[in-house]
Structure formats: structure tokens, C-alpha cells
């Protein structure tokens, strides 16, 4: 059953019960008051008749000591005539009727309740009429008589019946009118619920962008607002999950492709070696292919392992001097001959896991070297900023097309696949960098202009990075940041990339 109908029926039920009980109590109370008023008047009448009977009995000249039955009958008849519609009955000591008005209630049970100096009464019904019957003792001239009266109170009962009727009709009218009003009111009140239900159905059917209309500013409005907010968050999460699934599928596809290429070469050359006797030069060439492709596979699997391990491990960060990081980099690239690698940095302390950070920097410098021509310069810069310590690796090489910039951090993505493979790349280096930086609460920023060069940078925001004072020094001229930077030339690289 619809919620609005429940509200409607509940309110109708409550109203019907309240009107019913209220009406019953009200009409009953009015009836009781009228009945008591009638009762008082019946008792008064009984007293008056008792007094009148005693007076009449005393005033009758008597030949006898005792009041005769015929005299009693006569007095009774006179008393009855004295009032319009008056009904009375006189009985002797043994309960024998001496006089009774016409139509007087025949039953004499009330006599048992009459005691001296008290007045008994009861309500009786006869021929569709209601009466108050009273009874009292009359003691006069050595006679003890019973005097009974009957007062017609049918009008009081009729009034009660009419009261109930009027009240019932009024209640019905009010109920019909209020039902119509309540119907519209309850559907208006429950409209936000219907809109929410509609939104839930739409969303269940896959329309995650659907939102419930906000039509009120009360608790229901708040609920709708919260629901929409929750739906927004859910939609975002669903998109994220879908993205993740897509990325995983892409990863698997790329991974199988990357595996297939070297494996095809390895299998092909191995087959050649085992199926035919080759001359020494071809034999060496084939063996070399198998070796280099095998090495590529090995490097790829190690990189993948690095990424997986990085994703799953919690890192142990320590304070690390930027100077020692740069000293390490200079040592690594110390033998390079072809490229000029310029190291330029401000002293400072970073809060990192040193080995992982070195891995990031080496990956970025390697990529910059791969993208550069011989005689080009690669700049590795470390500078303090207000937010933390900023590392940048700049090159003036091939650059990256704008539309590729977002994709190059995906695993196995390479802008120029043949060039990357010839340089022993597998498209995993930047993916590893991104994971490591994530663990350090940082992210990789890429700025690049195709044909002009690229700049890869990341910011380590830890407060610890601001430790080592502001002393700046520059050992050679530089195009980066001007005075105050420690700058040192790296040797030209002849590294096999
Ligand atoms: P790999 O270097 O092993 O191929 P990476 O994930 O490190 O894999 O890089 C992905 C791709 O991004 C590279 O193949 C290359 O095409 C491009 N790339 C990375 N760094 C640079 C750079 N400094 N200049 C131009 N292209 C770059």
C-alpha cells in the first residue's frame, strides 16, 4: 500500500475514533444532565403529591377512625385531575392497588425499595415511552400507604437519539471533507519520497547521473539533498572503478603484447639455431638476438616486480640530505660523455625513502637522456619553495605531443614504440615513478612541447624539507633560477640507454 494512503487511512481512522468517542461522551453528558433535571422534578412532584394527599386526608370530615379505601380512591382521583398528564397510584400496606391512573405501569417491584422517609425511583419503559417512576410512603390517619408517580421523559431519550444522529451525520460530513483534503495533503507530503523512489529505480537501471528533484526544504528536502550527494559520490566511485578496470584490461593487453614481441624473436632465432647449421656470423647474430631480447624480458619483469612491490609496501621515510642525493646522482652519471648533465640544487632536507627517490630521479634522468640528442643538455634541479622541495628534470629533446602527456604514465605506454624498444624501454619507468611519488604524497607534473623538450617535476611537501637554512651557492653559471643555487656540471654521457 502506498505511504500516502497509509497516512490518509490512519488520519481518517484517528478522526473517526475521536469524533465517535467525543460525540458519544458529549451527547451522553447532555442526556445525563437532562435526566437528572427530570429526576429532580419527578421527586419534587412526588413530594408535592405526598403533601397534598396528607392535607386532603386530614381535611376530609371522618366518620371513621381509619381512612377508608373509598376516600383514598377519591383523593387519588382528585390529585390526578389536579395536574395535566399526571399519573399516580396508591396502594395499601399489603401492596393492594387502591387507586391507579389509567395506563400506570402494572409492575409493583418498586415497593420493595421504598423505606420510611426515603423516596425510591427508577426509569421504566412502556409502549415506546420512557418514565421516571417514584415511590414513597404516606402515613396518615393510622394508614401506611404507598404513593407512586410516573413522569414521562420520552422527550429526553428522543433528544439523545437526535443528538447521536446529528453528531453521526456531522462526523460523516467532516470525515468525507477531511479525507479529500488529507488525500491531497498526504500526496503532497510524500512527493519527495516518490521522487526518491523514482531516482533509486533509475539508478538501479544504470542511469547513475539521474538525481532526485529537490522540492522541499524540510527533513525530506535534506534527505533528498543527502541522497543526491551520496549518488554523486557513488557515481564518481563507479567511474573510478570503471577506469581502473579499463586500465587493468589495457595493462593486461599491453603486457601480453610486450611479452609476445621478445618471445617471438627468441623462439624464432632459437628455432633457426636448432633447425639449421648456420655460419659463424649468423650463429652469433642469432645468439645475440636471443640474449638481448631475453635481457629485455628480464628488465621488464624486474620493473613490473618493482611496481607491484611498491604498490603493496608501506615505505619507511627518513630525513635525507638533498646534497647526498645529488652526490649519488653525480656519481651514477659520472662516466657519461655524450650529454651535458647539469645538477643545480639548493641544500635541504627531504623526508623520503632514499632508495625509492633515487629510483624516481634516475628514471626521469634516463628518459631525458633517451629523448635528447648528443651535445644536448639535461638539467636536474632541486629548489626549495614555500610548499616544499621541488625536483625537476628538464631536457631539450624530442618532447611529447600534448595528447600523449596524460598517457605516458600508464604502464607499457610508449610514445614511439620502436624508438623506445630500441632504447631498451618497456613503458614501465614512469608508472613506477608515479607509484613511488604516490607513496610520498606527491605527484608527477609533466610539461612538454613537442620538438622543444620536456620538464618532469614533483614536489615533496614535508615540513622536514625546510630544515637546512637558506644558504645558496653557485659553482658555475646556469640558466636555472639565477644566483644562490648550487650548480655543477655532470660529465658528457656515453651511457648505453
Ligand atoms: P620507457 O622509458 O621504459 O619506455 P617510461 O614509462 O619511462 O618507459 O616512459 C614512457 C614513454 O614516455 C617513453 O617511451 C617515451 O616515449 C615517453 N617519455 C618519457 N620521458 C620522456 C622525455 N623526457 N621526453 C620525451 N618522451 C619521454
Amino acid at each position: 500500500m502506498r505511504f500516502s494512503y497509509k497516512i490518509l487511512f490512519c488520519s481518517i481512522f484517528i478522526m473517526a475514533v475521536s469524533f465517535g468517542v467525543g460525540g458519544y461522551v458529549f451527547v451522553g453528558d447532555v442526556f445525563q444532565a437532562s435526566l437528572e433535571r427530570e429526576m429532580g422534578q419527578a421527586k419534587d412532584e412526588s413530594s408535592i403529591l405526598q403533601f397534598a394527599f396528607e392535607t386532603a386526608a386530614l381535611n376530609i370530615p371522618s366518620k371513621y377512625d381509619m381512612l377508608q379505601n373509598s376516600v383514598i380512591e377519591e383523593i387519588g382521583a382528585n390529585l390526578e385531575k389536579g395536574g395535566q398528564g399526571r399519573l399516580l397510584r396508591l396502594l395499601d400496606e399489603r401492596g393492594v392497588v387502591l387507586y391507579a391512573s389509567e395506563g400506570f405501569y402494572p409492575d409493583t417491584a418498586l415497593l420493595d425499595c421504598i423505606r420510611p422517609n426515603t423516596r425510591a425511583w427508577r426509569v421504566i419503559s412502556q409502549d415506546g415511552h420512557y418514565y421516571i417512576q417514584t415511590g414513597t410512603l404516606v402515613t396518615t390517619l393510622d394508614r401506611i400507604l404507598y404513593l407512586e408517580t410516573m413522569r414521562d421523559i420520552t422527550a429526553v431519550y428522543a433528544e439523545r437519539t437526535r443528538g447521536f444522529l446529528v453528531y453521526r451525520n456531522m462526523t460523516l460530513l467532516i470525515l468525507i471533507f477531511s479525507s479529500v483534503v488529507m488525500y491531497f495533503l498526504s500526496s503532497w507530503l510524500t512527493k519527495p519520497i516518490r521522487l526518491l523512489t523514482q531516482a533509486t529505480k533509475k539508478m538501479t537501471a544504470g542511469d547513475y547521473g539521474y538525481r532526485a528533484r529537490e522540492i522541499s526544504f524540510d527533513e525530506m528536502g535534506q534527505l533528498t539533498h543527502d541522497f543526491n550527494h551520496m549518488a554523486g559520490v557513488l557515481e564518481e566511485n563507479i567511474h573510478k572503478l570503471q577506469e581502473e578496470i579499463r586500465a587493468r584490461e589495457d595493462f593486461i593487453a599491453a603486457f601480453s603484447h610486450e611479452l609476445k614481441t621478445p618471445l617471438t624473436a627468441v623462439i624464432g632465432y632459437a628455432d633457426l639455431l636448432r633447425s639449421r647449421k648456420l655460419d659463424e656470423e649468423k650463429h652469433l647474430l642469432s645468439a645475440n638476438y636471443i640474449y638481448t631480447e631475453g635481457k629485455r624480458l628480464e628488465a621488464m619483469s624486474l620493473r613490473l616486480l618493482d611496481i607491484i612491490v611498491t604498490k603493496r609496501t608501506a615505505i619507511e621515510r627518513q630525513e635525507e640530505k638533498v646534497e647526498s642525493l645529488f652526490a649519488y646522482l653525480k656519481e651514477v652519471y659520472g662516466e657519461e660523455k655524450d650529454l651535458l648533465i647539469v645538477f643545480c640544487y639548493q641544500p635541504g632536507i627531504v623526508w623520503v625513502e632514499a632508495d625509492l627517490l633515487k629510483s624516481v630521479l634516475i628514471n626521469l634522468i634516463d628518459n631525458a637522456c633517451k629523448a635528447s640528442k648528443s651535445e644536448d643538455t639535461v638539467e636536474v634541479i632541486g629548489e626549495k619553495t614555500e610548499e616544499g622541495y621541488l625536483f625537476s628534470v628538464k631536457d631539450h629533446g624530442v618532447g611529447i605531443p600534448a595528447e600523449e602527456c596524460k598517457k605516458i604514465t600508464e604502464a607499457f605506454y610508449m610514445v614511439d614504440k620502436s624508438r623506445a624498444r630500441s632504447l631498451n624501454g618497456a613503458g614501465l619507468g614512469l608508472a613506477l615513478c608515479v607509484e613511488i611519488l604516490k607513496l610520498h604524497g606527491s605527484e608527477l607534473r609533466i610539461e612538454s612541447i613537442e620538438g622543444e623538450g620536456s620538464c618532469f617535476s614533483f614536489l615533496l611537501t614535508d615540513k622536514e624539507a625546510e630544515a637546512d637554512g637558506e644558504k645558496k651557492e653557485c659553482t658555475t653559471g646556469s640558466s636555472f633560477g639565477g644566483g644562490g643555487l648550487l650548480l655543477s656540471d655532470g660529465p658528457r654521457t656515453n651511457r648505453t640507454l
Side-chain angles (χ1 to χ4, degrees):
M1 192 194 276
R2 277 168 65 168
F3 187 53
S4 60
Y5 291 160
K6 283 187 184 170
I7 294 180
L8 178 68
F9 292 136
C10 284
S11 41
I12 290 175
F13 175 75
I14 291 169
M15 276 191 291
V17 170
S18 338
F19 277 116
V21 173
Y24 183 80
V25 170
F26 177 71
V27 175
D29 196 51
V30 171
F31 168 74
Q32 202 57 41
S34 306
L35 195 66
E36 274 166 22
R37 195 185 61 234
E38 290 293 332
M39 202 82 72
Q41 285 177 1
K43 283 179 187 170
D44 290 347
E45 196 177 11
S46 168
S47 306
I48 291 166
L49 285 177
Q50 181 189 6
F51 181 69
F53 184 89
E54 284 167 356
T55 314
L58 289 174
N59 287 341
I60 286 175
S62 60
K63 295 181 254 172
Y64 310 98
D65 290 343
M66 259 182 71
L67 196 61
Q68 295 303 300
N69 285 351
S70 57
V71 176
I72 293 170
E73 207 174 318
E74 194 183 327
I75 298 174
N78 286 337
L79 287 179
E80 187 187 337
K81 276 182 219 144
Q84 211 194 340
R86 183 177 282 168
L87 294 170
L88 60 93
R89 182 165 69 178
L90 288 159
L91 304 99
D92 67 7
E93 298 81 349
R94 295 189 309 279
V96 177
V97 177
L98 301 176
Y99 175 81
S101 306
E102 197 186 327
F104 201 94
Y105 197 56
D107 179 63
T108 56
L110 190 66
L111 298 187
D112 300 335
C113 310
I114 299 173
R115 300 278 175 276
N117 300 324
T118 57
R119 189 163 278 105
W121 61 272
R122 63 175 176 174
V123 175
I124 51 169
S125 126
Q126 177 178 258
D127 304 331
H129 281 254
Y130 290 92
Y131 300 92
I132 294 175
Q133 184 186 7
T134 64
T136 186
L137 276 177
V138 182
T139 318
T140 181
L141 297 176
D142 292 339
R143 295 290 303 260
I144 298 170
L145 303 168
Y146 292 104
L147 170 65
E148 287 179 326
T149 61
M150 264 171 65
R151 182 179 175 80
D152 193 349
I153 54 162
T154 311
V156 175
Y157 277 84
E159 209 173 292
R160 184 175 71 161
T161 313
R162 207 170 59 82
F164 278 138
L165 204 73
V166 169
Y167 216 92
R168 192 195 64 192
N169 292 344
M170 243 181 62
T171 306
L172 277 176
L173 267 178
I174 290 172
L175 282 182
I176 291 168
F177 175 73
S178 49
S179 300
V180 175
V181 174
M182 273 310 292
Y183 174 78
F184 289 109
L185 209 65
S186 58
S187 13
W188 176 68
L189 282 174
T190 53
K191 192 166 181 188
I193 300 178
R194 284 202 299 283
L195 290 174
L196 271 178
T197 315
Q198 194 182 342
T200 326
K201 280 184 186 155
K202 289 256 183 195
M203 287 182 72
T204 314
D207 186 356
Y208 301 121
Y210 191 86
R211 296 289 176 271
R213 204 147 45 89
E214 291 176 32
I215 54 166
S216 61
F217 301 98
D218 51 11
E219 289 89 335
M220 286 311 298
Q222 185 61 43
L223 180 67
T224 313
H225 183 77
D226 292 347
F227 175 85
N228 285 343
H229 179 68
M230 184 191 75
V233 175
L234 277 180
E235 190 187 4
E236 222 169 82
N237 285 344
I238 287 168
H239 279 307
K240 264 189 209 159
L241 280 176
Q242 284 171 340
E243 274 296 304
E244 234 167 72
I245 291 169
R246 191 193 60 77
R248 250 178 228 182
E249 282 169 1
D250 288 355
F251 178 87
I252 292 167
F255 179 60
S256 8
H257 182 76
E258 288 306 312
L259 263 185
K260 218 177 85 191
T261 318
L263 275 179
T264 314
V266 168
I267 293 166
Y269 281 107
D271 192 38
L272 197 69
L273 281 178
R274 67 170 191 161
S275 56
R276 259 184 277 162
K277 189 140 184 75
L278 301 169
D279 59 53
E280 200 177 337
E281 194 188 342
K282 281 185 180 162
H283 186 94
L284 264 176
L285 199 75
S286 303
N288 195 41
Y289 264 119
I290 292 172
Y291 177 76
T292 46
E293 288 305 301
K295 271 287 186 197
R296 226 158 70 71
L297 271 177
E298 186 194 30
M300 193 172 77
S301 59
L302 287 176
R303 270 284 162 82
L304 265 178
L305 203 67
D306 277 351
I307 293 177
I308 292 163
V309 170
T310 311
K311 269 188 181 175
R312 291 187 181 163
T313 346
I315 55 166
E316 280 174 26
R317 295 165 87 174
Q318 278 175 347
E319 282 187 346
E320 185 74 25
K321 280 188 176 176
V322 173
E323 297 92 301
S324 63
L325 281 172
F326 274 86
Y328 168 79
L329 292 175
K330 277 187 222 166
E331 207 178 290
V332 172
Y333 292 95
E335 301 301 316
E336 311 294 355
K337 290 281 180 291
D338 284 350
L339 290 165
L340 175 66
I341 302 182
V342 181
F343 294 98
C344 174
Y345 62 95
Q346 285 178 326
I349 289 192
V350 282
W351 181 247
V352 292
E353 186 168 325
D355 287 340
L356 292 179
L357 189 70
K358 283 173 190 167
S359 174
V360 172
L361 288 166
I362 286 177
N363 264 305
L364 296 180
I365 298 170
D366 274 359
N367 279 350
C369 293
K370 284 182 202 172
S372 304
K373 297 182 286 298
S374 53
E375 307 300 317
D376 273 352
T377 312
V378 169
E379 297 147 36
V380 185
I381 306 155
E383 55 189 316
K384 280 174 138 188
T385 67
E386 275 183 16
E387 295 92 37
Y389 202 94
L390 181 73
F391 287 92
S392 319
V393 177
K394 284 184 185 175
D395 67 67
H396 304 280
V398 290
I400 307 160
E403 66 277 9
E404 309 271 1
C405 274
K406 275 187 189 163
K407 299 180 194 163
I408 57 169
T409 52
E410 289 173 18
F412 298 113
Y413 195 87
M414 293 164 265
V415 178
D416 182 344
K417 284 197 191 322
S418 52
R419 182 184 149 87
R421 284 202 189 107
S422 70
L423 292 169
N424 248 350
L428 290 171
L430 290 181
L432 177 64
C433 291
V434 167
E435 289 306 326
I436 294 174
L437 290 176
K438 246 191 228 169
L439 291 174
H440 286 84
S442 179
E443 59 180 11
L444 191 63
R445 296 179 203 159
I446 306 166
E447 295 157 63
S448 184
I449 299 173
E450 202 178 353
E452 287 189 23
S454 316
C455 174
F456 287 72
S457 60
F458 59 90
L459 182 81
L460 295 173
T461 51
D462 206 293
K463 281 179 190 164
E464 306 290 327
E466 298 183 16
D468 249 18
E470 293 296 318
K471 192 184 160 203
K472 294 171 188 172
E473 204 184 313
C474 206
T475 52
T476 62
S478 158
S479 58
F480 300 104
L485 291 174
L486 277 174
L487 192 74
S488 64
D489 281 348
R492 288 181 184 281
T493 176
N494 57 359
R495 238 164 96 87
T496 316
L497 297 169

